[in-house]
Amino acid sequence: MSKIIAVSNQKGGVSKTTVSYNLGACMALNHGKRVLLIDADPQANLSKYLGYEPDRSPTMTQLVMTACMNGAISSEITESAVRHCEKANVDYIPSDLNLASCEILMTSALSRETVLKRILSENVTDGYDFVIIDCLPSLGTMLINALTSADKVLIPVQTQEFSMDGLQALESLIQQIKTTINPKLELLGILPTMVDRTKISKYCIEILHEKYGGILFRTSISRAIEAANSAKNKIPLCLSTGKLSAEYENLTQEVIERC
Ligand SMILES: Nc1ncnc2c1ncn2[C@@H]1O[C@H](COP(=O)(O)OP(=O)(O)O)[C@@H](O)[C@H]1O
Ligand SMILES: [Mg+2]
């Protein structure tokens, strides 16, 4: 059975996409895992990172539209949306800007929380060890769908001023979804990202430790230019030689252990 991990934080720019891509790539390249990445953000940064070029096959937009309008969606349609990224050795379903308008469609659909769950049926996910959903920066219907489909939530937190604002709202949404539609949902861990030598970064890590203890990953991810270069060159960090390569390897080991 595959484990479905939602990478979420309603704040933008905290490393959700960088974590989704590099965790998936490291699982596949260093640990031989079969990985499916889902781009659930209309900004489609993950799709671009994976080297996606628009083509005629369906994206998340068409899948969500079909599932909203027809209720059920066949695994054949979903499978036709799956692409492969050679460099990261992962499969993925891309997104595009039109996914933004689907959020409105979803809001009025019957059983609107389970649209993504119906798309990611067991027939589709069974061949994978891990499915990683890169969530959009919002607490809207698409995020509720990601949390309804997921087994685990990974929350990257940028260790900067105001970074912990809003964490409470996300935690309370996770709790609500767990008690209503998805009892198996669990917090996989909180990941400090963009850690640097500043006082504010140190202070944030202390607060996170105090508040979350063992839920915090032992690994944290440093702020380093390698991250931007990896996105620009579309090369996974685990194939580089800098410190983010080792940090992502440690994170991947921890995630596999915790799952
Ligand atoms: N560890 C890091 N160090 C420095 N820059 C980073 C790091 N991780 C991500 N970035 C950069 O920060 C920006 C936001 O990261 P991204 O993963 O797109 O965040 P999100 O998906 O949460 O919006 C991107 O330009 C990315 O290259
Ligand atoms: Mg993103």
Side-chain angles (χ1 to χ4, degrees), residues 11-19 45 134 194 221-225 227-228 231 244:
K11 270 189 189 297
V14 300
S15 279
K16 290 183 293 296
T17 300
T18 309
V19 168
N45 293 342
D134 181 24
M194 304 201 203
I221 307 290
S222 305
R223 180 187 292 281
I225 189 70
L244 291 189

Side-chain angles (χ1 to χ4, degrees), residues 103 106 112-114 116 135-136 138-150 173 177 181-182 185:
E103 184 115 13
M106 277 167 124
R112 65 194 168 127
E113 297 89 355
T114 61
L116 185 59
C135 298
L136 71 177
S138 116
L139 288 175
T141 311
M142 186 49 119
L143 178 67
I144 292 173
N145 267 267
L147 297 176
T148 301
S149 317
L173 181 63
I177 289 176
I181 23 182
N182 186 11
L185 185 65

Side-chain angles (χ1 to χ4, degrees), residues 7 20 54-55 57 74 80 82 87 95 99 115 126 137 152 160 181 184 197 209 225 245:
V7 178
S20 302
D55 54 25
S57 297
S74 74
S80 71
V82 175
K87 283 180 185 158
S95 148
L99 188 63
V115 175
D126 248 6
K152 310 270 181 192
Q160 297 299 327
I181 23 182
K184 68 179 191 306
R197 290 160 188 259
H209 260 294
I225 189 70
S245 173

Side-chain angles (χ1 to χ4, degrees), residues 156-227:
V157 175
Q158 191 184 357
T159 54
Q160 297 299 327
E161 190 68 50
F162 310 127
S163 59
M164 276 165 285
D165 296 0
L167 263 187
Q168 196 86 50
L170 178 57
E171 283 177 81
S172 122
L173 181 63
I174 292 170
Q175 199 49 46
Q176 259 176 284
I177 289 176
K178 188 176 165 69
T179 49
T180 54
I181 23 182
N182 186 11
K184 68 179 191 306
L185 185 65
E186 274 174 6
L187 190 53
L188 179 63
I190 294 191
L191 175 70
T193 63
M194 304 201 203
V195 175
D196 57 25
R197 290 160 188 259
T198 57
K199 277 190 188 150
I200 179 76
S201 191
K202 269 201 196 108
Y203 172 75
C204 285
I205 294 197
E206 273 167 29
I207 299 283
L208 286 171
H209 260 294
E210 256 172 45
K211 192 155 184 263
Y212 295 101
I215 299 174
L216 206 64
F217 283 105
R218 294 187 300 277
T219 310
S220 55
I221 307 290
S222 305
R223 180 187 292 281
I225 189 70
E226 288 163 71

